[in-house]
Amino acid sequence: MKKYISIALTSLLALTMFSCTKKADIAGIEPKLPNLQLSSLGYQQSSPFSLTTVLQLNFGATAKVPVGKFTIEILDGTAVVSTVTFPSWSGNDASSTAKVVNHSISYILQDSNYPNVQVYSGSILLSLSKLNLAFDKTYSVRASAYSATGDLVSKMTQSSFFKTIPAPVVPK
């Protein structure tokens, strides 16, 4: 009998715990969110990469302010090997021309429950051949997102992010 009462009480407790719905306090949470924040940085391709690879980086970010430039730094240890600067979060990098696109960035705005927050899902195409990289090395990547005024910046670093393959062997 005790066993059945215990089961009934446990079931009742479980039903009351999981049958409730809780709504987020949007008005209370939104002011606490950062004005600009990179939230993710990654890729889906398989490493190591040849130096002819066009690497697609994916990033996520939130912003309560208009966004400005976006930079990607390629690091060998702590030394910056190459920097790619995008004047905005959509278009080509500063080194590209009308005829030659070296690197590009784009984004899609995601749905958000917060009326004053933009949620970005973006991608960056990096031509590894344009980045002064070496064969058989492991590189880190630092992404920096800037506000339109330039006074806010959010940085994210991924250590040992990707590896390049060894130099091809030339037959004698």
Side-chain angles (χ1 to χ4, degrees):
M1 182 71 171
K2 284 183 179 182
K3 180 179 175 184
Y4 296 112
I5 293 172
S6 177
I7 291 172
L9 289 175
T10 303
S11 299
L12 182 61
L13 179 64
L15 284 173
T16 59
M17 285 176 54
F18 298 107
S19 65
C20 299
T21 59
K22 185 174 184 176
K23 295 185 179 181
D25 178 12
I26 292 174
I29 294 172
E30 187 176 48
K32 296 176 183 174
L33 295 173
N35 286 325
L36 179 63
Q37 182 70 49
L38 281 172
S39 58
S40 62
L41 180 66
Y43 60 85
Q44 293 180 346
Q45 294 159 272
S46 297
S47 182
F49 301 114
S50 74
L51 295 181
T52 60
T53 300
V54 174
L55 178 60
Q56 179 177 333
L57 300 180
N58 301 308
F59 70 91
T62 59
K64 293 194 291 185
V65 297
V67 296
K69 74 177 182 175
F70 198 107
T71 63
I72 295 290
E73 294 172 301
I74 308 300
L75 309 165
D76 182 2
T78 59
V80 176
V81 174
S82 192
T83 301
V84 178
T85 302
F86 299 98
S88 71
W89 290 26
S90 181
N92 300 330
D93 71 309
S95 71
S96 293
T97 66
K99 293 184 180 183
V100 178
V101 174
N102 294 324
H103 315 284
S104 64
I105 187 171
S106 63
Y107 69 86
I108 297 171
L109 289 176
Q110 301 296 313
D111 291 335
S112 172
N113 290 330
Y114 302 104
N116 300 312
V117 177
Q118 300 288 322
V119 177
Y120 294 84
S121 174
S123 66
I124 299 168
L125 296 177
L126 293 176
S127 298
L128 298 187
S129 63
K130 309 283 185 181
L131 297 176
N132 301 316
L133 304 180
F135 292 107
D136 201 23
K137 298 273 295 191
T138 300
Y139 294 99
S140 300
V141 172
R142 179 169 44 228
S144 301
Y146 294 83
S147 65
T149 58
D151 59 345
L152 294 174
V153 62
S154 176
K155 294 184 180 201
M156 176 176 277
T157 302
Q158 298 286 19
S159 299
S160 301
F161 194 58
F162 68 89
K163 182 175 177 59
T164 58
I165 60 173
V169 177
V170 179
K172 294 182 181 184

